[in-house]
Amino acid sequence: MDRLKQKVITHKRLVLALAFSSVLVSVSSSAQTVLTVSGEVTKPLTLQAAELKAMPHSQVVGKDRDGKERTYSGVPLVELLKQAGTTLSGELRGENLMKYVVVKAIDGYEVLFALPEIDPDFATKTILLADSVDGAPLAQGVGPYRLVVPGEKKPARWIREVKSIEIRFGK
Ligand SMILES: Nc1nc2c(c(=O)[nH]1)N[C@H]1C(S)=C(S)[C@@H](COP(=O)(O)O)O[C@H]1N2
Ligand SMILES: [Mo]
């Protein structure tokens, strides 16, 4: 084979390889669901990282286990429930007071909240789905999303690596 032909073939291979890898990159970086909100809601959510990032954020200053104050930023849990269409504020009465929220993590750990613990008409503190601490993304094994539950003596419901939120009916 002459050198020119060889070069053209090599070039074609390179173009093909690049095209293929860019398809792979776009498939893996887009359309990745990082969080679902489902169950007793009118609009179940399958959220991508960019969507969560674009949602309104609040800050909560909390003491970590080491006793140091840290500023967490994230989406208030109530905001996610609102977007999914959960019975909150005026609708949180009667049998709707029997609804609860199960938050699940990648490692199988799960924790539960009653709706009034999350609804600001009842609760005095804001539970956050935090995505950063002191301005930096949460560490591997903690994030990308972790609940911050202010005012509790034990951090057992500060669930790390959150992957889903499910609203259920307790009767
Ligand atoms: N995903 C997940 N989150 C979790 C746990 C767990 O086992 N898995 N343990 C909880 C418990 S019992 C405690 S005390 C705190 C510890 O938080 P830390 O690792 O930031 O100190 O994380 C909570 N969040
Ligand atoms: Mo714990």
Side-chain angles (χ1 to χ4, degrees):
M1 209 184 308
D2 61 61
R3 280 186 56 212
L4 188 62
K5 206 169 175 189
Q6 178 71 54
K7 246 189 192 164
V8 168
I9 290 170
T10 313
H11 182 70
K12 270 188 187 158
R13 278 203 188 136
L14 185 66
V15 168
L16 266 178
L18 281 176
F20 188 61
S21 61
S22 70
V23 164
L24 282 183
V25 166
S26 65
V27 164
S28 61
S29 64
S30 72
Q32 272 260 50
T33 297
V34 293
L35 182 79
T36 60
V37 184
S38 65
E40 296 283 329
V41 294
T42 54
K43 296 163 283 176
L45 308 175
T46 54
L47 294 167
Q48 296 167 25
E51 295 175 301
L52 269 171
K53 203 173 172 184
M55 286 179 74
H57 280 53
S58 296
Q59 280 70 43
V60 160
V61 178
K63 264 194 184 149
D64 264 8
R65 254 190 170 176
D66 59 11
K68 281 192 189 136
E69 275 208 341
R70 295 209 161 78
T71 303
Y72 287 90
S73 178
V75 179
L77 189 50
V78 68
E79 201 54 49
L80 292 157
L81 298 193
K82 266 188 206 163
Q83 279 212 14
T86 312
T87 50
L88 292 166
S89 54
E91 290 179 314
L92 188 41
R93 56 187 156 77
E95 62 177 15
N96 288 336
L97 287 164
M98 284 299 291
K99 287 181 188 160
Y100 60 98
V101 177
V102 175
V103 182
K104 292 186 184 175
I106 287 169
D107 63 353
Y109 192 72
E110 45 191 346
V111 295
L112 177 158
F113 297 88
L115 283 186
E117 294 187 274
I118 301 165
D119 188 329
D121 281 8
F122 293 79
T124 55
K125 305 233 159 109
T126 305
I127 301 171
L128 284 188
L129 182 76
D131 55 13
S132 75
V133 60
D134 294 337
L138 300 179
Q140 173 79 39
V142 176
Y145 310 105
R146 163 185 223 169
L147 284 194
V148 168
V149 190
E152 297 203 295
K153 293 203 277 183
K154 271 189 172 187
R157 296 201 292 180
W158 289 45
I159 180 171
R160 302 181 292 255
E161 298 185 288
V162 172
K163 66 164 189 187
S164 70
I165 296 169
E166 217 183 295
I167 293 83
R168 296 187 192 159
F169 208 170
K171 65 183 207 175

